[in-house]
Amino acid sequence: MARAAPMLSFRPRLLDALRGYDRARFVQDFGAGLTVAVVALPLAMAFAIASGLPPEAGLFTAIIAGFLISALGGSRVQIGGPAGAFIVIVYGIVQQYGVANLILATALSGVLLFLMGVLQLGTLVRFIPVAVVIGFTNGIAVLIALSQVKDFLGLSIVKMPGDFFGMLGALYQHLSTLNPWATGVAAVSLAVVVGWQRWLPAWRHPWASALARVPGSIVALVLATAVVALSGMPVETIGSRFGGIPAGLPAFTLPDFSWESARHLLMPTITLALLGAIESLLCARVADGMVNDRHDPNQELMAQGVANFVTPFFGGMPATGTIVRTVTNVKSGATSPVAGMVHALALLLVMLVAAPLAGSIPLATLAAILMFVAWNMGEWREFARLKTYRLPYRVTLVSVFLLTVVFDLTVAVEFGIFAACLTFIYRISSLSRAEPIGSADLPVLAGHDARVQVWRLHGALFFGATKLIEAMEDHLPAQALVLDLKNVIYVDSTGAEALENLAHACATHGVRLIVSGLMGQPLDILRRTGLYEQLQPELQPDVARAAAAAVA
C-alpha cells in the first residue's frame, strides 16, 4: 500500500513554549531581549551599509524579520535578522541590478525557503559538507573585512567595486585620500571592541563584572559618537552620508521592477535561499547544544521564508538566523521565542525615540565593528589544521575559499558541492570490494577451484563500483560463478544493470550464476527491475549452500 504524502505542518515553537509560561520566565525573556537589542543595534546598521544599502534597511530587517522569525520559527531561542554572510551577495545584486531587483530576489528567496520547509527539506541542508561551509564562510569574512577598509581609513571612494580585484585596485588608487581622523577613530573603536570583554573581567573591581556584560560594540559606538559630535572631527557619519535614519517603519511599497534585469536573478535568488537556510539551521543547531533542545528545521525554514518574503517590501534586506545574537540571547537567560520578539520591539522603540542621534554615528566606528565581526566569523584555525586532513578535504576547502574571495560565492558553493560529491563517490567506490573465497573457507570447493569461482562483495554496488562486476564478466569460470551479496548494503540501477549483463554473459557461456545473501535494499531493487525473477532459480540463502549447489 502506498504511503500517504506528509501533511503540511505549520506549528511555531512559540505555541509550545507558552505552555506554563509565567511571570518569572517573562522577566528572563524580557531582560534577554533587551540585551540582544543592544548587540543588534550597531550590527544591523553596519551590515546594511556594508551591503550598499542605507542603515535603516538593517534596522527594518532586525525589527520585522527578527519578530517574524521568533514568532513563527522552529527554535526556542534563535534570533533572526541581517547577517554578515549576506553582505557580499546583497552588495553584488544592488550594484548590478539595483535595489528594486534586490527586493524581488529577496522575496523569491523567501518563497523558496518556505517551499523547502513545506517539502520537509530542512534536514537536507545538513548534507552540505563542512569543508564547503568553512570555505565560503572564511571567504565571506575576508571580503567583509576588505570592504570595510574604505571607511576604516576614511578613503574618498565614490563607488566601491564589488569584486575582489576591483576593491584592491580602488583602495590602492585612493590611498592618498586617507583621513587620519577617521583612521584614529576606527583604530580606537576597534581596540575598545576587542579589549572590552577580553581585559575588563581581569580588572578586579566590583563594577568590572557588571560593565563586562555591556557589549564592547555599544561602548565603542557611544564613545566614538560622543567624541566626534563634541569635537567636530572631520569624520564621515551616518548623517553626512545618508542624512540620518527615519523615526519609524516605512509603509508597504511595491517598487517598479525591471524584468529585463529580474530574469537574471535566478542564481542570486537560489544563493540567497540556500545561504539563508544553511546559516539559520547551523545557528539553530548551535543553539540546541546550548539549551539542550531540538529545533524543528522545517518550521524554521518556513518562518525564514515568511520573514524574507515580507521584509523587503518594508525596506528590509535578506534575513537569517544569527549566531552572535542567538548566543547572546542564550547567555542572557532566554527561555522562549518571546525574547526574540522583545528584541525586535526594543529596536523599534529605539528607532522611534533615538533616531536623530544615529546621524552622528561615525562610519569609521561601524567599519571597526564589522572588522571584528569578520574576524570572529571565520574559522581561521581550520587553515592551520589542514595538514591533518586528507587531500580532497584540503582541496575542497581551499578552492571554495579562493573562489569565494576572487570570483563569486555562487560559483564557489557549486564547485564545492561538486568536488565533495566526486570525493564521496571515489571514497565509496574504493570501499566497495570483491574478495575471492576458496576451499580453505568452503571445504566443499576442494577439487573444484579451477571450475567454480566464489566472490564475496562488500559495500555498495553502484555506478562507481561496477568495475567489480565487469572484471568477473571478463574472467568467467568454466562451471559456476557464486556471488555472496550478504555484505552489500546498496545497489543502484547501474549496479542492477551490471548484474543483469553478468547474468546474460553467464547464460551465453553456459556458466551457472548463483546468488546468495540478498536482503534489504539490494533485494528490493532486484525485484523492481525484474532481475529477481530471472535469478530466482539460482538464489540461495547463504554462501555455503550456494557453493554446494555450484559443485553439485
Side-chain angles (χ1 to χ4, degrees):
M1 182 176 179
R3 295 178 61 186
M7 297 292 290
L8 171 63
S9 175
F10 188 88
R11 185 175 179 82
R13 192 62 183 274
L14 177 65
L15 299 179
D16 298 322
L18 290 180
R19 292 178 182 173
Y21 198 73
D22 53 23
R23 182 176 180 179
R25 290 180 62 190
F26 176 74
V27 171
Q28 284 185 270
D29 288 337
F30 187 80
L34 292 181
T35 303
V36 176
V38 172
V39 175
L41 180 64
L43 293 180
M45 291 188 292
F47 289 150
I49 294 172
S51 301
L53 299 171
E56 61 266 24
L59 292 175
F60 296 157
T61 306
I63 294 170
I64 301 174
F67 187 90
L68 291 174
I69 290 172
S70 293
L72 305 177
S75 173
R76 184 156 56 90
V77 293
Q78 174 147 277
I79 301 295
F86 284 127
I87 290 176
V88 178
I89 299 297
V90 173
Y91 188 85
I93 295 175
V94 171
Q95 295 300 313
Q96 189 169 358
Y97 303 110
V99 175
N101 284 296
L102 171 65
I103 294 175
L104 177 61
T106 305
L108 290 177
S109 73
V111 174
L112 289 180
L113 284 166
F114 190 85
L115 290 177
M116 289 171 66
V118 170
L119 298 175
Q120 308 286 305
L121 300 180
T123 55
L124 294 183
V125 177
R126 300 181 181 181
F127 289 101
I128 296 179
V130 65
V132 176
V133 175
I134 293 175
F136 77 67
T137 301
N138 286 6
I140 290 172
V142 169
L143 290 175
I144 291 174
L146 186 62
S147 68
Q148 296 310 298
V149 173
K150 167 184 173 292
D151 289 331
F152 195 96
L153 301 179
L155 304 180
S156 298
I157 303 177
V158 177
K159 186 177 180 180
M160 192 71 171
D163 62 290
F164 176 71
F165 293 110
M167 288 183 187
L168 291 180
L171 293 174
Y172 177 76
Q173 292 174 6
H174 293 83
L175 275 179
S176 59
T177 65
L178 183 144
N179 184 341
W181 295 101
T183 305
V185 170
V188 173
S189 299
L190 184 59
V192 172
V193 173
V194 173
W196 188 257
Q197 274 85 17
R198 181 172 298 180
W199 298 317
L200 194 62
W203 181 34
R204 300 181 181 276
H205 191 278
W207 288 97
S209 58
L211 291 174
R213 297 178 183 177
V214 180
S217 57
I218 284 293
V219 176
L221 195 70
V222 172
L223 291 178
T225 301
V227 170
V228 170
L230 294 175
S231 65
M233 288 184 186
V235 176
E236 194 172 19
T237 64
I238 288 179
S240 64
R241 180 181 295 183
F242 301 102
I245 60 175
L249 295 177
F252 176 86
T253 56
L254 191 64
D256 295 328
F257 298 121
S258 172
W259 293 108
E260 181 63 26
S261 299
R263 64 189 180 88
H264 299 293
L265 293 176
L266 176 62
M267 286 312 300
T269 297
I270 294 175
T271 303
L272 287 175
L274 289 179
L275 191 56
I278 294 170
E279 287 286 316
S280 62
L281 296 185
L282 286 178
C283 177
R285 290 179 65 183
V286 171
D288 287 349
M290 298 181 69
V291 298
N292 192 25
D293 194 21
R294 180 176 296 177
H295 72 282
D296 181 347
N298 298 309
Q299 180 63 39
E300 187 64 29
L301 288 181
M302 286 188 282
Q304 299 285 342
V306 172
N308 279 281
F309 181 79
V310 172
T311 305
F313 296 110
F314 291 90
M317 58 187 289
T320 185
T322 58
I323 292 181
V324 173
R325 278 156 275 177
T326 299
V327 170
T328 302
N329 191 39
V330 173
K331 291 184 176 180
S332 300
T335 67
S336 76
V338 172
M341 298 162 68
V342 170
H343 130 269
L345 295 175
L347 286 175
L348 176 59
L349 182 62
V350 169
M351 279 195 65
L352 295 175
V353 175
L357 300 177
S360 300
I361 296 176
L363 295 180
T365 298
L366 293 180
I369 292 173
L370 274 186
M371 289 276 196
F372 182 70
V373 170
W375 174 257
N376 287 329
M377 180 180 176
E379 298 283 349
W380 311 114
R381 293 181 180 177
E382 291 299 316
F383 287 130
R385 296 170 53 190
L386 279 178
K387 60 183 178 182
T388 64
Y389 295 108
R390 293 186 175 182
L391 181 62
Y393 180 93
R394 286 181 279 176
V395 170
T396 301
L397 193 155
V398 174
S399 298
V400 172
F401 170 75
L402 293 177
L403 287 172
T404 301
V405 172
V406 177
F407 291 101
D408 180 72
L409 177 62
T410 304
V411 175
V413 173
E414 289 174 350
F415 172 83
I417 294 177
F418 176 74
C421 289
L422 287 182
T423 301
F424 177 78
I425 292 171
Y426 172 76
R427 287 181 177 176
I428 294 299
S429 64
S430 63
L431 291 175
S432 302
R433 68 184 191 278
E435 57 183 27
I437 301 177
S439 56
D441 297 311
L442 294 172
V444 71
L445 294 176
H448 298 278
D449 288 346
R451 300 180 58 81
V452 176
Q453 291 182 6
V454 180
W455 292 92
R456 175 170 292 157
L457 276 68
H458 298 260
L461 186 57
F462 70 116
F463 62 88
T466 54
K467 60 182 182 295
L468 301 176
I469 301 299
E470 293 170 356
M472 298 176 191
E473 187 178 338
D474 294 337
H475 301 85
L476 292 175
Q479 181 175 332
L481 174 64
V482 177
L483 297 183
D484 180 15
L485 302 183
K486 180 181 67 175
N487 296 318
V488 174
I489 60 175
Y490 176 77
V491 177
D492 71 350
S493 58
T494 306
E497 182 181 8
L499 288 175
E500 187 175 4
N501 292 337
L502 178 63
H504 178 72
C506 288
T508 301
H509 292 84
V511 179
R512 292 180 64 189
L513 176 62
I514 305 174
V515 179
S516 69
L518 265 178
M519 60 184 68
Q521 189 274 341
L523 175 61
D524 177 65
I525 193 171
L526 292 190
R527 279 176 172 166
R528 288 190 285 113
T529 58
L531 187 57
Y532 178 82
E533 287 74 14
Q534 181 181 343
L535 297 176
Q536 192 170 18
E538 298 289 5
L539 291 179
Q540 296 292 338
D542 56 66
V543 69
R545 295 185 186 182
V551 299

